[in-house]
Amino acid sequence: MAFPYRNFGRIMIICSFRMVLKVTDLLDFPGEDLEGIYSAREFVWWYNGHPDCFNMAPGLKNTDTAAILGLGNVALDVARILLRPVSDLAETDISDLALASLQESSIRKVYLVARRGPAQAACTAKELREIIGMKNLKVKIEEADLDISPSDEEALKNHRIQRRVYELLSKAAGSPYCQSSPEQRELHFVFFRKPDRFLPSENGCTVGSLRLEKTTLEENKSSGKQSAVGTAEFEDINCGLVLKSIGYKSLPIFGLPFDYNKGVVPNVKGRVVSGFQTEEEAVEHGLYVAGWLKRGPTGIIATNLYCAEETVSSITEDVERGLVPAASAAIKPGREGLLQLLQGKNIKFVPFTGWEKIDAKEKMLGELKKKPREKITSWQKLLEASNE
Ligand code: NAP
């Protein structure tokens, strides 16, 4: 099969960027349209001043309890924002609007809900350490949830990050917490529970509680991973704010091969393969992939560096073997060609010099407030700043 991206006569790298990422926000559970239930991604955009979400106005004054579904790094990020003292946040580049809203927040307790156990937590150690080390924070973890099976033990032996995460959680569970102060916040790790439905509060419009089903782990024969299976035992958590933080999934790009099970463009070390043939035949010469579209939505920034290095090594090798033309062999229109293409498609863009102007203006606005930067939160104002 010939793909439209094939035989470009040069090298093409497909990276994971927003256009090809679907956020798996929708759980499709009863009550999901109640007020007070948000996607964690939008919440992150809100406090970061993203123009599409800066006026989201999550109701932080109406409840003292929030539940976050999922236990990846995004879940930890949003928990940290909800629990961190506002005086600390004021020194960061958080948007002014979010800061004002957090100043009035009545949230004191956050539940982090994971459908599997502490040995399968999706977060990484550095991010976990940052939150559980916060001052005036009481961390609660059921001791019984820390019991691990022989297969967990084996998995932890082989995965350094998961082992560190498990150790940190075990340590946090055993740490005594004495005094109670008005600034005290609570962080509850709830393991082996999967969301079942959202229940309304007395007013019928806003979320009042979250129904969870207890789970147990079963080995998934095809993936070899431990999957959470419901036990038909339920319990409710009272909460007036729910943030869904259940990860991402890549979307296929028209004309490119796609592995729907794994949500990746099939590849060997970054070389896109079309499948069906032997590995050598299947390689789409000159077509490469990097990032989440190559390996799935996992890892921290450093993971992406190694991932990109691997793809670049494949490109270098292929150029040396004469499988794709070297950069010097092709006559390329370069930056001018790109600008013509964008103009031809009527795509609005900000050149690097425009970005530098935005950056300088945000930093200047931040200096006035003793912050690293003050984000500009409207597309119009960003465009104006890029032209000043
Ligand atoms: P993630 O790491 O994939 O975590 C998703 C979480 O949601 C997991 O706990 C997963 O549980 C759970 N989940 C998925 N589907 C669910 C469902 N239907 N019901 C209940 N729970 C469900 O996603 P993420 O936190 O959005 O992060 C995405 C990537 O960005 C990660 O690689 C992360 O490390 C990275 N990131 C890094 C940083 C940083 O470096 N500081 C910050 C933010 C994000 P299971 O494990 O059981 O599937």
Side-chain angles (χ1 to χ4, degrees):
M1 180 181 173
F3 295 102
Y5 299 90
R6 192 172 194 162
N7 298 332
F8 250 59
R10 61 190 61 147
I11 295 162
M12 187 164 182
I13 309 177
I14 323 273
C15 301
S16 313
F17 51 98
R18 212 181 121 201
M19 268 172 60
V20 296
L21 281 174
K22 183 175 88 172
V23 184
T24 49
D25 288 337
L26 196 68
L27 286 160
D28 235 350
F29 290 147
E32 202 163 355
D33 53 353
L34 287 165
E35 285 170 32
I37 303 173
Y38 303 95
S39 114
R41 169 187 54 97
E42 285 173 359
F43 188 80
V44 171
W45 282 9
W46 167 71
Y47 68 71
N48 276 314
H50 190 296
D52 288 350
C53 288
F54 85 98
N55 58 0
M56 170 185 177
L60 307 181
K61 277 196 288 188
N62 318 324
T63 177
D64 64 356
T65 307
I68 302 171
L69 303 178
L71 188 47
N73 281 335
V74 171
L76 294 188
D77 280 348
V78 297
R80 210 171 47 217
I81 292 291
L82 288 171
L83 294 168
R84 204 166 150 188
V86 179
S87 52
D88 287 3
L89 291 174
E91 292 166 9
T92 71
D93 63 359
I94 190 168
S95 96
D96 253 7
L97 205 64
L99 189 65
S101 185
L102 286 158
Q103 227 138 18
E104 296 187 336
S105 165
S106 51
I107 305 242
R108 297 290 176 269
K109 193 191 282 188
V110 170
Y111 288 96
L112 279 165
V113 182
R115 59 184 172 177
R116 298 191 288 161
Q120 291 82 27
C123 58
T124 45
K126 178 175 161 285
E127 287 65 29
L128 180 63
R129 203 178 299 114
E130 267 180 48
I131 188 162
I132 57 182
M134 264 169 41
K135 57 185 174 198
N136 288 323
L137 185 74
K138 187 171 181 171
V139 177
K140 289 200 167 179
I141 302 172
E142 289 292 330
E143 290 278 349
D145 288 345
L146 292 160
D147 292 346
I148 49 170
S149 66
S151 69
D152 285 345
E153 212 164 308
E154 195 55 35
L156 292 180
K157 248 190 239 162
N158 300 322
H159 294 101
R160 192 180 59 84
I161 295 179
Q162 276 180 337
R163 190 170 64 243
R164 279 301 295 138
V165 166
Y166 177 79
E167 286 165 0
L168 285 167
L169 288 166
S170 307
K171 200 169 155 202
S175 313
Y177 190 92
C178 348
Q179 105 242 37
S180 168
S181 74
E183 290 85 41
Q184 188 188 292
R185 308 279 193 271
E186 286 180 21
L187 177 62
H188 295 240
F189 287 84
V190 179
F191 291 105
F192 301 108
R193 302 287 187 280
K194 68 185 178 93
D196 176 68
R197 65 190 57 222
F198 304 97
L199 302 163
S201 62
E202 276 173 15
N203 67 22
C205 312
T206 54
V207 64
S209 56
L210 168 67
R211 179 149 303 163
L212 298 171
E213 182 177 9
K214 292 187 187 175
T215 62
T216 180
L217 297 188
E218 268 180 20
E219 188 170 323
N220 181 318
K221 292 264 158 37
S222 57
S223 67
K225 286 187 179 164
Q226 306 257 52
S227 297
V229 182
T231 60
E233 266 184 89
F234 297 89
E235 67 185 23
D236 295 348
I237 285 180
N238 291 334
C239 54
L241 177 76
V242 177
L243 295 165
K244 296 177 283 180
S245 182
I246 55 170
Y248 294 77
K249 199 165 185 187
S250 299
L251 294 175
I253 299 181
F254 173 72
L256 273 186
F258 195 71
D259 181 330
Y260 284 84
N261 273 338
K262 295 184 183 153
V264 298
V265 171
N267 68 89
V268 178
K269 295 187 177 175
R271 296 178 179 96
V272 174
V273 294
S274 52
F276 311 121
Q277 302 107 318
T278 64
E279 191 176 302
E280 189 61 25
E281 285 167 352
V283 168
E284 293 290 319
H285 290 301
L287 190 56
Y288 301 86
V289 64
W292 284 5
L293 202 50
K294 171 183 171 187
R295 55 170 215 280
T298 57
I300 51 175
I301 291 173
T303 323
N304 287 304
L305 295 179
Y306 293 121
C307 172
E309 272 176 12
E310 186 187 63
T311 297
V312 170
S313 298
S314 295
I315 296 172
T316 315
E317 237 174 67
D318 290 354
V319 169
E320 281 166 7
R321 286 170 64 203
L323 294 172
V324 288
S328 55
I331 302 159
K332 295 186 289 183
R335 185 170 188 276
E336 274 315 304
L338 176 64
L339 294 182
Q340 276 171 20
L341 189 81
L342 292 172
Q343 275 149 4
K345 291 183 174 237
N346 213 9
I347 292 174
K348 259 193 204 164
F349 62 89
V350 171
F352 184 58
T353 48
W355 178 86
E356 283 179 318
K357 287 181 189 165
I358 295 174
D359 185 47
K361 180 155 187 180
E362 286 190 341
K363 283 182 177 157
M364 186 268 288
L365 293 172
E367 238 171 69
L368 303 174
K369 294 179 180 170
K370 298 194 168 42
K371 295 169 70 172
R373 71 171 65 233
E374 182 59 52
K375 306 261 180 68
I376 300 173
T377 56
S378 92
W379 292 120
Q380 184 56 35
K381 289 195 175 137
L382 281 166
L383 288 174
E384 281 166 17
S386 74
N387 281 317
E388 275 170 10

